[in-house]
Amino acid sequence: MKTLIENFGRFNDHVVEKIVLKNNNNFQISLLSQGAIWNEFSVPVEENKKINLLLNFNSIDSYYSNPFYIGMSIGRTGGRIKAGKLTLNDTTYNLSQNENTNTLHGGETGFHSYIWDYETFQTDDTVSVVFSKRVSPQDDSYPGILDVEIEYILNNKNEVIINYYGKAVDQDTVFNPTNHAYFNLEQSNNILDHELKINSHQILSMDQEKNPTGLFKETAGTPYDFHKFTFLKNAIEDLQSIPEKGIDDVFYIDQPSDCPIATLKSNRFNHQIDIYSQRNGLVVFTANSFTSDMNLSTGKGHPYQGIALESQTLPDTLNHKNFGNILLKKGQSVTYQTKIAYTHN
Ligand code: GAL
């Protein structure tokens, strides 16, 4: 087990630190103090060869010069809130309208935008970092003060565990965090040869601006049917006739779910990640609109370069009674966990 702190440049007059966590099996993850960004998940694949399973950038500015939230922590609420209106206890809060008139991923000044305090920890079998921040309504216009901790753990079972802790300090508020890592299990040009399985039979129906309408759609017999392993190229090929030209959808996870909510697999390296979460939603985005002005560490951006698998409670939750509960009553706290378990088959 090993922890290293490196310098990752400066952003808005702050020094950005890169926290590198290594386990005993030659696996390594790294995180950035800016945006609590998950920057790297390197795994040994062949003798003397390691690959990074995450898309990333070599400079902090590059992370913020595109709209794709690569690796970033997302909150207070993942996904879109229609018209930026959040109504809680009969008061309507106007949130930042950072995509058309809607609020996307916590608004302009969401979790992704903060410099986080952090502390590192180590045991015989785990290395971890805990990012912390007290978020106030002055930061993001959401109701109430929210204490947040985001913990990333790497253990010797080659699992990455993300714990999101939130506590409503002085008033009721909402908490629906996620992480926006994009995976490419081959560190290759695209994820078309990856296979994906999701423990789901339904997706949310959405309006033109990708706000949930409140209805669910069965996936059986459609390109969105991933309840068995399916090659991403098959689904993406079938979706070329729609404007999105790929997947950008919210999957409703079959309940209750003790098995992985999703598995992403590469036959080229004979390895996979299993994602575990107790939340009822998984947003899947196949990077359909990546552009060539993005200077990723592996080259210029292009569609289907990676796949984001964002476990969260269904978005726009307060506007749809049956979408789940993201409410935190004054004084209440909650911890959500996402586990990404790596296996070589
Ligand atoms: C996803 C969302 C996409 C896109 C992406 C970030 O969560 O579903 O529509 O906004 O984030 O670019």
PDB file of all heavy atoms in Angstrom, residues 8 11 23 46 49 63 71 101 127 144 146 159 163 257 289:
ATOM      1  N   PHE A   8      -0.411  18.924  -9.639  1.00  0.00           N
ATOM      2  CA  PHE A   8      -1.079  18.793 -10.942  1.00  0.00           C
ATOM      3  C   PHE A   8      -1.354  20.172 -11.548  1.00  0.00           C
ATOM      4  O   PHE A   8      -2.336  20.389 -12.241  1.00  0.00           O
ATOM      5  CB  PHE A   8      -2.375  17.987 -10.763  1.00  0.00           C
ATOM      6  CG  PHE A   8      -2.909  17.393 -12.050  1.00  0.00           C
ATOM      7  CD1 PHE A   8      -2.314  16.286 -12.632  1.00  0.00           C
ATOM      8  CD2 PHE A   8      -4.021  17.955 -12.680  1.00  0.00           C
ATOM      9  CE1 PHE A   8      -2.808  15.737 -13.817  1.00  0.00           C
ATOM     10  CE2 PHE A   8      -4.532  17.406 -13.874  1.00  0.00           C
ATOM     11  CZ  PHE A   8      -3.909  16.308 -14.435  1.00  0.00           C
ATOM     12  N   PHE A  11      -5.093  25.987 -10.830  1.00  0.00           N
ATOM     13  CA  PHE A  11      -6.380  26.295 -11.435  1.00  0.00           C
ATOM     14  C   PHE A  11      -7.022  27.395 -10.604  1.00  0.00           C
ATOM     15  O   PHE A  11      -7.115  27.258  -9.375  1.00  0.00           O
ATOM     16  CB  PHE A  11      -7.271  25.038 -11.442  1.00  0.00           C
ATOM     17  CG  PHE A  11      -8.518  25.198 -12.252  1.00  0.00           C
ATOM     18  CD1 PHE A  11      -8.460  25.322 -13.635  1.00  0.00           C
ATOM     19  CD2 PHE A  11      -9.766  25.222 -11.635  1.00  0.00           C
ATOM     20  CE1 PHE A  11      -9.616  25.475 -14.391  1.00  0.00           C
ATOM     21  CE2 PHE A  11     -10.925  25.366 -12.385  1.00  0.00           C
ATOM     22  CZ  PHE A  11     -10.847  25.496 -13.771  1.00  0.00           C
ATOM     23  N   ASN A  23      -2.153  -0.170  -4.534  1.00  0.00           N
ATOM     24  CA  ASN A  23      -2.339  -1.367  -3.694  1.00  0.00           C
ATOM     25  C   ASN A  23      -1.156  -2.325  -3.873  1.00  0.00           C
ATOM     26  O   ASN A  23      -0.183  -2.001  -4.560  1.00  0.00           O
ATOM     27  CB  ASN A  23      -3.709  -2.020  -3.941  1.00  0.00           C
ATOM     28  CG  ASN A  23      -3.781  -2.802  -5.242  1.00  0.00           C
ATOM     29  OD1 ASN A  23      -2.779  -2.952  -5.952  1.00  0.00           O
ATOM     30  ND2 ASN A  23      -4.965  -3.315  -5.561  1.00  0.00           N
ATOM     31  N   GLU A  46      -0.439  -7.046 -18.790  1.00  0.00           N
ATOM     32  CA  GLU A  46       0.510  -8.040 -19.272  1.00  0.00           C
ATOM     33  C   GLU A  46       1.786  -7.772 -18.515  1.00  0.00           C
ATOM     34  O   GLU A  46       1.892  -6.746 -17.843  1.00  0.00           O
ATOM     35  CB  GLU A  46       0.767  -7.866 -20.778  1.00  0.00           C
ATOM     36  CG  GLU A  46      -0.385  -8.326 -21.645  1.00  0.00           C
ATOM     37  CD  GLU A  46      -0.411  -7.609 -22.996  1.00  0.00           C
ATOM     38  OE1 GLU A  46       0.590  -6.963 -23.363  1.00  0.00           O
ATOM     39  OE2 GLU A  46      -1.450  -7.675 -23.651  1.00  0.00           O
ATOM     40  N   LYS A  49       3.247  -4.298 -18.448  1.00  0.00           N
ATOM     41  CA  LYS A  49       2.353  -3.363 -19.126  1.00  0.00           C
ATOM     42  C   LYS A  49       1.162  -3.029 -18.232  1.00  0.00           C
ATOM     43  O   LYS A  49       0.516  -3.939 -17.690  1.00  0.00           O
ATOM     44  CB  LYS A  49       1.866  -3.970 -20.441  1.00  0.00           C
ATOM     45  CG  LYS A  49       1.024  -3.004 -21.241  1.00  0.00           C
ATOM     46  CD  LYS A  49       0.649  -3.556 -22.595  1.00  0.00           C
ATOM     47  CE  LYS A  49      -0.547  -2.769 -23.105  1.00  0.00           C
ATOM     48  NZ  LYS A  49      -0.509  -2.368 -24.440  1.00  0.00           N
ATOM     49  N   TYR A  63      -9.613  19.783 -18.409  1.00  0.00           N
ATOM     50  CA  TYR A  63     -10.824  19.200 -17.826  1.00  0.00           C
ATOM     51  C   TYR A  63     -12.016  20.149 -17.931  1.00  0.00           C
ATOM     52  O   TYR A  63     -13.150  19.723 -18.084  1.00  0.00           O
ATOM     53  CB  TYR A  63     -10.595  18.873 -16.343  1.00  0.00           C
ATOM     54  CG  TYR A  63     -10.000  17.506 -16.087  1.00  0.00           C
ATOM     55  CD1 TYR A  63      -8.646  17.351 -15.853  1.00  0.00           C
ATOM     56  CD2 TYR A  63     -10.813  16.372 -16.081  1.00  0.00           C
ATOM     57  CE1 TYR A  63      -8.107  16.097 -15.599  1.00  0.00           C
ATOM     58  CE2 TYR A  63     -10.290  15.127 -15.836  1.00  0.00           C
ATOM     59  CZ  TYR A  63      -8.941  14.983 -15.593  1.00  0.00           C
ATOM     60  OH  TYR A  63      -8.425  13.741 -15.357  1.00  0.00           O
ATOM     61  N   GLY A  71     -14.512  12.446 -15.344  1.00  0.00           N
ATOM     62  CA  GLY A  71     -14.004  11.999 -14.046  1.00  0.00           C
ATOM     63  C   GLY A  71     -14.510  12.784 -12.842  1.00  0.00           C
ATOM     64  O   GLY A  71     -14.142  12.473 -11.705  1.00  0.00           O
ATOM     65  N   THR A 101     -32.625  25.981 -20.157  1.00  0.00           N
ATOM     66  CA  THR A 101     -33.128  26.570 -18.909  1.00  0.00           C
ATOM     67  C   THR A 101     -33.031  25.590 -17.749  1.00  0.00           C
ATOM     68  O   THR A 101     -33.530  25.842 -16.659  1.00  0.00           O
ATOM     69  CB  THR A 101     -34.606  26.995 -19.067  1.00  0.00           C
ATOM     70  OG1 THR A 101     -35.356  25.820 -19.383  1.00  0.00           O
ATOM     71  CG2 THR A 101     -34.775  28.031 -20.153  1.00  0.00           C
ATOM     72  N   VAL A 127      -6.065   1.705   0.766  1.00  0.00           N
ATOM     73  CA  VAL A 127      -5.534   3.081   0.733  1.00  0.00           C
ATOM     74  C   VAL A 127      -6.706   3.956   0.340  1.00  0.00           C
ATOM     75  O   VAL A 127      -7.499   3.570  -0.530  1.00  0.00           O
ATOM     76  CB  VAL A 127      -4.419   3.294  -0.322  1.00  0.00           C
ATOM     77  CG1 VAL A 127      -3.055   3.351   0.283  1.00  0.00           C
ATOM     78  CG2 VAL A 127      -4.515   2.306  -1.450  1.00  0.00           C
ATOM     79  N   GLY A 144     -30.166  25.175   2.142  1.00  0.00           N
ATOM     80  CA  GLY A 144     -29.484  24.644   3.319  1.00  0.00           C
ATOM     81  C   GLY A 144     -28.010  24.335   3.154  1.00  0.00           C
ATOM     82  O   GLY A 144     -27.485  24.158   2.055  1.00  0.00           O
ATOM     83  N   LEU A 146     -24.916  21.890   3.481  1.00  0.00           N
ATOM     84  CA  LEU A 146     -24.727  20.439   3.340  1.00  0.00           C
ATOM     85  C   LEU A 146     -23.256  20.112   3.575  1.00  0.00           C
ATOM     86  O   LEU A 146     -22.381  20.652   2.887  1.00  0.00           O
ATOM     87  CB  LEU A 146     -25.131  20.018   1.921  1.00  0.00           C
ATOM     88  CG  LEU A 146     -24.955  18.545   1.553  1.00  0.00           C
ATOM     89  CD1 LEU A 146     -25.993  17.682   2.260  1.00  0.00           C
ATOM     90  CD2 LEU A 146     -25.079  18.337   0.038  1.00  0.00           C
ATOM     91  N   GLU A 159     -10.672  -3.554  -5.827  1.00  0.00           N
ATOM     92  CA  GLU A 159     -11.952  -2.838  -5.907  1.00  0.00           C
ATOM     93  C   GLU A 159     -11.699  -1.363  -5.631  1.00  0.00           C
ATOM     94  O   GLU A 159     -10.864  -1.017  -4.793  1.00  0.00           O
ATOM     95  CB  GLU A 159     -12.927  -3.349  -4.848  1.00  0.00           C
ATOM     96  CG  GLU A 159     -13.317  -4.796  -5.035  1.00  0.00           C
ATOM     97  CD  GLU A 159     -14.053  -5.355  -3.820  1.00  0.00           C
ATOM     98  OE1 GLU A 159     -13.940  -4.809  -2.704  1.00  0.00           O
ATOM     99  OE2 GLU A 159     -14.748  -6.372  -4.004  1.00  0.00           O
ATOM    100  N   ASN A 163     -17.532   6.292  -1.515  1.00  0.00           N
ATOM    101  CA  ASN A 163     -18.571   6.570  -0.521  1.00  0.00           C
ATOM    102  C   ASN A 163     -18.905   8.052  -0.559  1.00  0.00           C
ATOM    103  O   ASN A 163     -18.010   8.898  -0.468  1.00  0.00           O
ATOM    104  CB  ASN A 163     -18.083   6.220   0.890  1.00  0.00           C
ATOM    105  CG  ASN A 163     -18.020   4.725   1.100  1.00  0.00           C
ATOM    106  OD1 ASN A 163     -18.903   3.996   0.663  1.00  0.00           O
ATOM    107  ND2 ASN A 163     -16.968   4.259   1.759  1.00  0.00           N
ATOM    108  N   SER A 257     -31.568  -5.063  -5.848  1.00  0.00           N
ATOM    109  CA  SER A 257     -30.424  -5.473  -6.649  1.00  0.00           C
ATOM    110  C   SER A 257     -29.219  -5.815  -5.778  1.00  0.00           C
ATOM    111  O   SER A 257     -28.546  -4.923  -5.292  1.00  0.00           O
ATOM    112  CB  SER A 257     -30.079  -4.339  -7.601  1.00  0.00           C
ATOM    113  OG  SER A 257     -28.900  -4.636  -8.254  1.00  0.00           O
ATOM    114  N   SER A 289     -20.975  12.820 -28.391  1.00  0.00           N
ATOM    115  CA  SER A 289     -20.727  14.156 -28.936  1.00  0.00           C
ATOM    116  C   SER A 289     -19.339  14.689 -28.603  1.00  0.00           C
ATOM    117  O   SER A 289     -19.109  15.896 -28.685  1.00  0.00           O
ATOM    118  CB  SER A 289     -21.806  15.101 -28.400  1.00  0.00           C
ATOM    119  OG  SER A 289     -22.092  14.795 -27.047  1.00  0.00           O
TER     120      SER A 289
END
